[in-house]
Amino acid sequence: MPSERPTFSPYLPGDPHDQDPELFAILDRELERQNTTLQLIASENFASRAVIAATGSVLTNKYSEGYPGKRYYGGNLVIDEVEDLARRRVCELFGAAHANVQPHSGANANLAAYLAVLEAGDTVLGMRLDQGGHLTHGSPVNISGRIYNFVAYGVTESDERLDYDQLAAAAEAHRPKLIVAGATAYPRVIDPEPIRRIADEVGALFMFDAAHVAGLIAGGVHPSPVGVADIVTFTTHKTLRGPRGGCILTDREDLAKAIDKAVFPGLQGGPLEHVIAAKAVAFREAAQPEFKDYAAQIVRNARALASGLADEGFRIVSGGTDNHLMLVDLRPFDAELTGKVAQEALDRSGITLNKNTVPNDPRSPFVTSGLRIGTPAVTTTGMREPEMTEIAALIARVLRRPDDSAESAAVRDEVAVLCSKYTPYP
Ligand SMILES: *Cc1c(COP(=O)(O)O)cnc(C)c1O
């Protein structure tokens, strides 16, 4: 006969909803929101049930500071297999020699890479934040900008594309120890080859932050920086469609050691092995032939959405997109309409996206003249070009009358109908 569990044990059989109805009712509402409204935030996606199952597994219980075969605590034989599998899969996926799968996030992956190769005060080149760069590329409010001397490069005035000449000139003038490429709001391909040449000319290391485009690289629709850059960092939850987390790749043995030491014990404590297990799941999914179709469809959908929005009178920054996102300049559509007001009006209409500065935006980052719109999540649900045209029309309808609550409610109903045909978690 099984013994009674003590009353302090939360490990009771049955539905977790019965144990904590308050919290699980909130989770139910979030599931409902994700299933019934449009998710167009460029950095978001819908992870598979296998990814979610691994993330919700008993591996959350285990302490495994260190690396496979070199852990501080006992009991890690099974965990070692999980982390080895994740490392092996990601190295195969990207053709890399070494991977660190422990960073808790993209920000941590970047900080660990900096910690591995930089000293406080070193000069680093990174993309301007108001032209697409990330906070961890030297923002004054981020630790990267407080510890290191970041110098920014940007896009051209003329075609709003990454200005490789400006990058070369900045490298020549500032002789950085590291050049960081990669962006969080840039709609075009970033070619690692010319940046490699610039880095070599000034004797700088080259780090490519592929947080946004890792899935497009894995899917073969964007050029891979692996083998070109010295270090590649990325997130696993954006286009790659895995659990929330980060990863670092390198082909250089000397850097591999420094990176591992920087992640642990340099920056983090115990790794999130449940998340690492889910990363392993996602790396396997991204290696399937279907993932190539997925990556290609993301880009086709982004192009269709951008062209639909252009037809509605919006200006698409740089004239279009090569990737999973577009930046929309609202000013030609309505000179008074700000990104902030547009985001809020769309949110009320069941369309979730974010305000964003456009290059040389006269408005502040809290107000902005633009929107950033991404297609990874809606593509996961199975939507294709015709649905993108429909979404462009819905966005325009809301933004023609952003204060009209009846219009918002009507669009919200249409969005719900569309989402009912493409429900991520039925
Ligand atoms: C999203 C992003 C990050 C940070 O990832 P988090 O997981 O949010 O910390 C870093 N770099 C770039 C370019 C990003 O887009």
Side-chain angles (χ1 to χ4, degrees), residues 43 104-108 110 133-134 136-137 182-184 209 211-212 235 237-238 244-245 372:
S43 48
H104 300 335
S105 65
N108 277 23
N110 288 351
H134 189 257
T136 56
H137 300 181
T184 199
D209 177 353
H212 262 262
T235 62
H237 51 279
K238 297 181 183 175
R244 192 156 288 284
R372 186 186 69 161

Side-chain angles (χ1 to χ4, degrees), residues 4 8 53 59 104 130 136 166 210 288 302 357 361 381 400:
E4 290 272 305
F8 58 73
L59 300 191
H104 300 335
D130 59 352
T136 56
Q166 190 191 132
Q288 304 309 306
T357 52
D361 200 321
T381 68
R400 253 176 234 120

Side-chain angles (χ1 to χ4, degrees), residues 26-36 424-426:
I26 299 173
L27 292 198
D28 286 346
R29 280 176 29 232
E30 173 60 10
L31 176 63
E32 175 78 2
R33 187 193 70 81
Q34 292 187 19
N35 272 339
T36 57
Y425 302 110

